[in-house]
Amino acid sequence: MAEADTGLLDALQSLHGDLLAATERPKEQRLDLPAEIGPLLEVWGDKFKAFLDKPTRSKTSRDAVLSGKITLSDEEYTISKEFQEIALQVADEVDLDELETSRLVLESQNDEQVLGRSLRECAIIRFHQQRKYLLSCIRLFLELSRIDEMPEEIEDWLAAYVNELILGEGPAAKIQRLVPRCMAAMKHIREWLHKIVEQVTGATVLGHAGEAEFRETIEFSRVSLIQQHELLSVILCYAIERRVATSQDFIDFFKSLKEIGRYDYATVHVFPPLGAFITVFGSTEGNGDLDTSRKLNDVVCQQSEEYSRNLPCLHASVRAWWLAEYSGWYMDDAAGSLLQGVDIDAEDRQRSKQFTEALRDGAFDMLLAVAADVKSPEWQEPARVGIRQWLQRKAPALPPDTPPFSDFFQACLMGQMEVFIDAFISNLPDILRKLRIEEDEQRQLNQAHEQDLDLERFLLIIAFSYEGRPEAADAFWADPESNLAGFLQWASRRASTPLVSAFCEMLQSLSEDSESATSAHEFLLDDGHHAAGKIRRSLSLTWSQILKELDFFANKIREKPVPAQTHAYKTGKFGSEQAETEPESAMMLECYLRLMTKLSSQSETVRIFLLSEDKPNPVVLLFQLISSLVPSRLRACAFNTLSALMCRKRIDESKLMWYYLDSCLSGAFIASSGRTATTNPMPPSYYMEGLFEEMSSRFEESSSFIELLASLTCLPQEYPLNDVLPFQEDLGAATRIRPGIDPYIDFALGHIFAWRVQDASEVVHQRILRYRCLEFALTCLSTFNEDLIIFGNEASISVDAAISSTDLASYVSLHPSVRVMEWMFDSHVIKALLNTLHQDPAEVGAAAPDSPLILSILRAVEVITKVLDLQTTYLDLIRPIVKPQARTQSRSTYIPTSNGAYASVEDGLMTSLNLVANLGSYCGIGHAHLTLASLKLLEKISTSPKIISAWQTGPERQVRRNKAIVALEENGNATAIAGSFISEMSSPLDLYRKTESPGYQTKMYILDFLYSCIRANPDRPTVAHLLLGFQCEAETLGVEARSPFDQGASLFHTLLGIVVELVISDEGGMRQWLIDLKYRVMRVLRALWSSSLSSGIVLEQLRENEFVFHVLLQGLVMQPSSIWDGFEPNGPDFLTTPAAQGYVEYLSMRSMALEYITHELCSVTQSHTPALKRRIFDALTGQVLIDGGETMTIPSIFELQDFLPQEDLFATMPPELNVYRDLDMRVCLEEDDDSNLVYNLGKVNEILLLKRNQNQPPGTLVSQQEPLPADVEADHVKIYAAYLNRLTQVNSSSHKILKAWTTLLMVMTDSNDFKGTNRISFILQALQAILPSLEIYGSDNVSAAYELAKLAKVLLFSLDFSSMDMTDKQARSIGSLISDKLFQLFQACLQAIAKWTGRPQLRAIYYSISYRYITALVDHGQGILSGRHKTAKTVQVFGERLINVVCDDAGGGDGACQTAALTLLGTLVNLGRHENNPYVVETLNRLNFIGVLVDSLRNIMEEWITVSQSAPDQQHYQDAKLALLLQLCQTRDGAKNVLHANLFRAIDLSGLFSADPELQVNAMDAKALAHHYTLLIKVTRIIGAAIVSRGSHNVAQGRRFLTEHRLLVMHVLKRSAGIGAGPGRVDGGLEENIQELAEAFMVIIIATGFLEYESEACATQQPTTNTILFH
């Protein structure tokens, strides 16, 4: 709801939307209308009181503006010279007070971005928009007060408000009477429009009229003023109907008519209030009396030149209307005793004479013109236009630049016309009879003489007045005894040809729905009865008469010989010799066919009746007419009738009609006389091409023919699989090489659309033809089911047996979509498509939603979208099948062949860079369907890899600015499109229509487009970035100074406002449609902040808007008691409701929010902003600082635990199946936007239907009484598939939240500034938050456990155990808690390991946590951490099962897991050594792990070298293995087992110590040499530890080792002493390794007493003389 400071225009738009929605709501939803609009009325009530007042320019205000300082709403502004100049220009333009103009200009400053126009233009636009919306709100108030279905209390509230503030009636009225003010306002607008004409004339003289800004401003002002005049006309009519006018008001209004000098918008606008005035003051239904009516009759019926000088037919129509209603006073003695002394008969004769004179002056001509001209001229049938032009002879034509009349004006006018029609029929029956008698006499005397056709005009007035108004037309059918029903009977009897034609037109308009059409059908049946129950006379119009006359005419034409011609169908113009005796007979036949068309399209009863008629057969008659020499309009009407007969068709009817049509175009219906005109019999293609040639140049025929093709191509609803062809598979096989309907498609797309449309004589014809061709193309494409091909290749179903066509190959090769797709690669068709899309924005903006212009653009967009969808299937699967069957190049102009100029549709689309600008401009014109379709196509184009690549690369693959961005920046297109997007995203939501409102759907499509565009190319500037407000370079984004983005007024900031301000719940719980909107906005923001291209700018903008605190204040905790659209989120049934989508999206929003907070915290930490960082930490721990310095408590980060996986909450069993138990539905799996594999429910339904068709024997009759078991099972399967989709998405979203939450906690752990106890307390809180979940999901839910374990690992490794020796009581208490939690964590890890949980990556984390915990116990066991003994016993409790799992992981598998397992084993061995507990060592030995480990040393040297050269990731594994061996050897039992496993033998086999390291490794590579020495060190230490641990038991083995490798030992010892290194060969790291290796050798030497042993041995042996050089 708008606040007090909302601008007037915004408030009026909001109020207008509320009032418009209120008119469309049911009665019970109007109760809260006062609460909705009451606040706005309180704020802007003065504007409604003075809605017709406009303060004009004044010297005082002008001087104030020129002073440079103005005061508006008690605020003082200093204005610049530029502002003053604009304000004064606007004031002069609209004649408005200068201060009010300044306010207008001030409010229009933000419109420059939205509208893409100058500030002056924006101010003028805002002025007219405010007036128009204000008048429209007044109209809606009056309309609401007229609605019958209104709650009583609301009705009273509305009545009081309307009377006091609008009508100016009642004791509490606060304004002057409305009627005179409205008339004055309408006069002022007419004068203003006259001044605009003079202004244009002056500008033309001065040469300024061609300037774009001047021309656009003038045109907008002109159209806006006409629309305001129209609104005032309706308001005045409503006010008169409310009985607030006086007779003097009527006289003043009547006198104002003499000022009308031409037939234009103003003339049409006077008729609704005129009719209301006449009803109120001249009719017995009004509030006047007879005396007043008689006085007014003298005024109205006076003959005066001043009334009839300029537009006599206007005054004649006023007199006729008045007399029709005024005569009601004299019917059935209604006046009674009030007419004492009056000669009633004389007055009757006088009124009859006056009415006849009015008709002679063109009364009905004018009324017919008004009734017809308010209708859109674009869709009027040529036949009806023809009969109107024939009847309308005196009224001038409406100026072509007249804006379209609104729907509400048309409804108001037709309501008044309806009153006039009823009055004329009821009150002047004698004149009706007289008109008919006189016309019959004139026709009998001289048929060549022009007769008076006023009765026909009256019938046509009825036709136009009741067209599209079935409720009003019901008055003719509801009561058989009524005057209207009697008039129908009377008018249909013994009617002349013109009268029959007009009667058929009238009967059409009275048959606008099924019920009325059926009533008209019954009226036309031969056995019908008239009002009095007597048998109808045989001369009345009946079906029998209609069909007989059609048969007679068709036979007469066919009997006439046809002269020999070059082409059988090229007959030229329809001559009079081919017509009936009466010149109007062709028009009568057209009206017959139009009546058949209307009744067949509306009533199934009529359609079946006509199709079942046999003598004569209407279908055969129609094709005979088509094959004959008939006028173009008549043939078009025949095509239209055939189209109507195919409404609600069955497939057999469709195939039969295709057979008739193909036979017709093959010459089968040409009369024998027509065939004898040629010398030799012609082939069937001769006749087809001839008819195509004739039709191609005639708009009516070609348009109707293509419409017939579209109606024949669409499929009946009983074929949901679209698995049947609409024609016989052998259609045309006898006359063409390839059966099917390819020639028709070639004619429609290849000739008409690609070529002939450009030559259309009128623009409207061009647009209609485009629409018809594209509608036909879209129908062909939409009836093709590409899934059948996929199922045929991948599913386990026999598609050939399951579909309605003969087989899949026939279906694919003959389907019309294949030929349409072929044409989509034709250069001329692509050019025609692009031309259809490229239209004048001004014309598009002014067009009605159902106009040919808008519909042709819409169909072009939809066709391109559908073609892009089907292109991959066509190119990969269909074209290879169909291409070998392709026919040769056609030489015919009318049945051409595609040139296939483009390899892909994208290649053709890229020939026009205006395409993106065109599509973007259509998103802001207010046509919902076109907006949504354009956004969908924009999304496809912007995400096409081929188009993206072409847009971003230039010659030689150079990177350059995106071509689409450059194209949009030209002429300010990007600014205008972004402005329209901002306007759409800022528009208020419809709380009643919700997702059905066009505004909401537009928002969703805009957001989908932005997200898809960014996601498709996240690292390069795209169209989406440009529209969001960024400055786009070739590879970077920026922010232009003083741009909307820089000023916080861009589309990006609009989206940010939605996330911050949109409330997604109400008193009834969470609302899925609001969540969906917010989720999609959040998704766009996430794509921006997570991309390296835009993250810097976006994070800065979000930080400036304190987005992180808004997110936290909105709450990230989901209460278990939350209600989602009336459902509780538990149980499997919840996931099958629409509310489940909101549930999933809410989870996704929470994960995105946590992810953003993580990004922000990292960014703040890196940018070194401690104050902001502290605020974020405070907020995450539950305290948010809000405005005013107050602190608000919110849930902390540790409380967000309601998102964990909840499979049990929604678990259910799959349905039991029999029919579909073997059905494999994996082919239906697709990835959603979050890469989850979900079932495509459309494909699921299709595959179920295929399976049912496969299992169902041909010809099986399905009972409608109760569903088949297969149908019941199919419903269960579809529900279960939907359930699985939602369950997958819930679990995926929950996991994403968990991952984001744990990541945030890890970042907080790493980046916090806590010290000492505070840091330990933070870690303790985190552990307390995750431990319960980790215990639950540690082994059952691998993905959840993985994220929790990663966090636990980070928390554990972040603890500094060396500083945890605390002395105070609080520290010891915290230490005790942390010790307990760590032990609990250790137990959870061991339990999960023992169960062999999940993936190796998860177990690796468990191993790391256990390693860290045990290491801390061993290293710091005397501090707050204690319980090494308990830990050792715990390991022992888990037993051999635990050690076995660790050994298996250590023995093979994932490298990281191997390393972690070996590291843990080493830690366990170390723990046992400290606790003097040999359990682990004994278990390892019992499992033979030690033997395997020792045996692996055989290849240690080769593996070590390989690791160093090509597999550095295995280094940790080798280090861990050697470390474990060292740990084992440091224990007595371990050393024993290692030595028993032949440690020395394995080392000998490895060859590690057999030679000089410099010979085994490149001596010049110091790094490799040092790495080799590292291995020697590790292995030597293992040997030393084993010997030391075993004492004297293995001294001999040690001595033998030293003896065997004496040379290496001596070399190392010499090198360590600096002997033999050589100059420049000593590296610092290498030298250190040599020293360590020497020390390791010395340990062995000392432990084995090797020197003493050698000395003793030398003493007993003679010294040798051999010298060995070792180097």
Side-chain angles (χ1 to χ4, degrees), residues 72 145 255 363 432 591 626 846 966 969 1004 1020 1064 1127 1131 1147 1178 1185 1568 1577 1614:
L72 300 174
S145 65
K255 290 180 179 179
L432 271 173
C591 293
I626 291 170
V966 175
E969 287 177 340
M1004 303 298 279
R1020 293 288 299 276
I1064 57 177
F1127 297 93
L1147 293 176
D1178 289 342
L1185 188 67
I1577 293 168
K1614 286 179 181 180

Side-chain angles (χ1 to χ4, degrees), residues 433-729:
R433 287 190 287 271
K434 180 181 177 182
L435 289 175
R436 182 162 185 171
I437 292 170
E438 290 179 352
E439 180 183 334
D440 289 343
E441 290 175 351
Q442 291 173 2
R443 293 181 70 85
Q444 291 174 2
L445 290 174
N446 186 0
Q447 291 187 356
H449 185 270
E450 185 175 310
Q451 297 93 21
D452 293 331
L453 300 172
D454 284 311
L455 183 56
E456 287 81 355
R457 293 187 186 98
F458 179 64
L459 294 182
L460 214 59
I461 291 171
I462 297 176
F464 281 109
S465 299
Y466 284 88
E467 186 179 19
R469 302 173 64 232
E471 296 85 358
D474 189 56
F476 282 85
W477 309 111
D479 182 8
E481 303 295 331
S482 67
N483 293 329
L484 297 179
F487 172 75
L488 280 181
Q489 296 284 354
W490 173 80
S492 69
R493 289 198 295 269
R494 293 180 299 164
S496 62
T497 300
L499 188 59
V500 168
S501 302
F503 183 82
C504 289
E505 291 297 309
M506 178 187 69
L507 203 58
Q508 279 186 71
S509 297
L510 299 179
S511 308
E512 291 288 347
D513 60 6
S514 176
E515 185 176 350
S516 298
T518 304
S519 298
H521 166 66
E522 294 170 353
F523 177 86
L524 293 172
L525 289 175
D526 292 339
D527 55 351
H529 293 71
H530 63 56
K534 300 176 182 178
I535 299 299
R536 192 194 308 169
R537 297 179 182 177
S538 59
L539 295 178
S540 298
L541 182 66
T542 63
W543 279 123
S544 177
Q545 176 187 343
I546 292 172
L547 294 176
K548 285 179 181 177
E549 292 198 30
L550 283 173
D551 186 39
F552 174 78
F553 181 83
N555 290 329
K556 193 174 184 64
I557 290 296
R558 290 161 61 83
E559 289 169 1
K560 291 185 179 294
V562 181
Q565 298 178 18
T566 304
H567 248 302
Y569 280 87
K570 200 168 184 177
T571 60
K573 293 185 178 180
F574 180 77
S576 58
E577 67 273 14
Q578 282 103 26
E580 272 295 309
T581 305
E582 293 183 349
E584 304 93 351
S585 58
M587 184 170 56
M588 178 188 70
L589 294 174
E590 292 172 10
C591 293
Y592 281 161
L593 294 180
R594 283 171 43 76
L595 178 61
M596 293 169 64
T597 301
K598 173 56 71 71
L599 297 183
S600 299
S601 63
Q602 295 294 338
S603 172
E604 181 67 6
T605 303
V606 178
R607 194 183 76 87
I608 295 175
F609 168 78
L610 292 175
L611 288 177
S612 60
E613 279 292 297
D614 190 32
K615 295 182 180 180
N617 187 327
V619 175
V620 174
L621 281 178
L622 291 171
F623 280 111
Q624 288 176 350
L625 286 174
I626 291 170
S627 302
S628 303
L629 301 177
V630 294
S632 177
R633 285 207 314 252
L634 184 57
R635 182 177 286 153
C637 290
F639 284 135
N640 289 335
T641 305
L642 290 172
S643 300
L645 290 172
M646 289 296 97
C647 292
R648 305 171 300 277
K649 63 182 179 180
R650 300 192 311 269
I651 194 65
D652 58 325
E653 295 171 344
S654 176
K655 292 181 177 182
L656 180 60
M657 191 64 75
W658 267 114
Y659 170 77
Y660 275 129
L661 178 62
D662 200 62
S663 300
C664 174
L665 269 69
S666 300
F669 288 94
I670 295 178
S672 57
S673 58
R675 294 179 182 272
T676 57
T678 59
T679 306
N680 299 315
M682 294 295 179
S685 60
Y686 169 83
Y687 299 101
M688 177 178 287
E689 189 170 344
L691 185 56
F692 282 168
E693 180 182 358
E694 185 173 351
M695 288 192 300
S696 66
S697 60
R698 301 175 179 178
F699 159 72
E700 298 93 342
E701 289 184 47
S702 53
S703 173
S704 300
F705 177 69
I706 297 173
E707 185 181 10
L708 171 61
L709 294 181
S711 66
L712 287 173
T713 307
C714 66
L715 293 176
Q717 294 182 353
E718 58 264 25
Y719 290 90
L721 278 172
N722 285 349
D723 60 339
V724 65
L725 297 172
F727 49 84
Q728 308 98 315
E729 295 182 9

